[in-house]
Every structure is written in C-alpha cells, then in structure tokens.
Amino acid sequence: MANPEYQESLDGVDKISVVIYRIGITLVSVSLLMIAVAELLCVLEHERAGFMRHLSIHVVAVAVALCAATIHIYDKNIRTLIVWSGWLGLVTFITLPAFDWLFVGFFFMTFSGVALKESYCFKIKGLTLVPLLLVLSVLVIWMKDAALLVVLTGLCGAIFAFLAFKKWQMPLHFDIGKKSNYQI
C-alpha cells in the first residue's frame, strides 16, 4: 500500500503497473455502471438488455484482471487474498458461465479488496461501504432482482468513478510507496 510521504524512484515496470492499475479502477467503475444500465434495460424489457448484460460482465472480467495483476499492497497475505479471488473468478467465469453469482462473487471480492485498500489512502465517503454493497449485489444476482441490482451497482460504480478521478490526479509514486516494505 502506498506511503505518499515517501517518494520511491520508479522504473518503467513500476510506472506501467501503476497506470494499468488505474485503468483497472476506471474500468471497475465503468463495468459496475454498465451492469446497472444492463439491469435497468432488463427491468424495462428492452431488446438490447441481453447484449448489454453480456458485454458488462466481460468488462468486469477485464477490470478484475487488470486490478488483480497490478495491485500494490505491502502485506502478501492480503494481496494474495485479493489477487486469487480475481483469478478464481476468471477461472469460474470461463468454466462455469451459468453460475454468474459465483464468478461475480469472486470478482466483487477483488473489487472489495481494492475499495478497502484505497479507503486507507483516501477519505472518500462510501468507499468503506463498497464491500457491503457488493456482497448485497451478489445476493441480488442470485435472487435475480434486477431493480435492486441497478441501485447497488450504480452506487458502487459512482463511488469507484470518483475514486478513479482522484487516482488519476495523484503522482504515480503514491501507488507504490516504499518498495522495501513489500513482503515477497
């Protein structure tokens, strides 16, 4: 996790990983908002609802892969939990596509980890509520309540959008912190 008081010199790989992570966070917000729109289209029985739902899940998968591959957290146990949730979600997404609540649950565990990690760096209202909202979203997916899913994912998407906006304003070294603090 970052320590903004300390400025580490970054090499090319560090810079690329931070940019990819920030793109991942941006895609998290886009994907959650896409889910909200897709579910709203389902509620309205729009003909494009199925396509939008399909597309939104694929954007979620890409966002998870980007965040899981490049998250910067000092503690290896916490980092492993967040990263492996994303990878398990991707494997489940590929092997068991009918169990959407299961792979989305793994994806949302990764997103929850990102939200909690970033809540230590930012005082963004609602960021600490994201894990609860995402857990509720998984339950709602399992129960197939599209109207409630619109609200939950829309709210989470808006919070992540604000986070992404703030992240892109920061210098890159804020995301890395002190390299010697990372457990390997």
Side-chain angles (χ1 to χ4, degrees), residues 45-136:
E45 298 178 6
H46 192 276
E47 63 188 43
R48 304 291 285 170
F51 170 76
M52 188 66 168
R53 181 183 271 167
H54 181 76
L55 180 63
S56 66
I57 292 299
H58 283 80
V59 176
V60 168
V62 171
V64 163
L66 293 177
C67 288
T70 57
I71 194 165
H72 302 96
I73 295 180
Y74 293 148
D75 187 284
K76 70 179 177 181
N77 295 321
I78 295 171
R79 185 176 57 242
T80 300
L81 179 67
I82 294 169
V83 169
W84 277 92
S85 298
W87 300 136
L88 284 172
L90 289 168
V91 168
T92 308
F93 174 62
I94 293 166
T95 58
L96 301 168
F99 293 94
D100 55 351
W101 61 271
L102 182 59
F103 63 77
V104 169
F106 284 123
F107 290 164
F108 285 3
M109 282 178 63
T110 299
F111 291 168
S112 295
V114 169
L116 289 175
K117 177 232 187 236
E118 295 300 337
S119 71
Y120 287 106
C121 303
F122 292 101
K123 302 299 180 224
I124 296 174
K125 292 186 187 312
L127 202 51
T128 55
L129 287 176
V130 166
L132 175 63
L133 296 173
L134 292 176
V135 166
L136 292 174

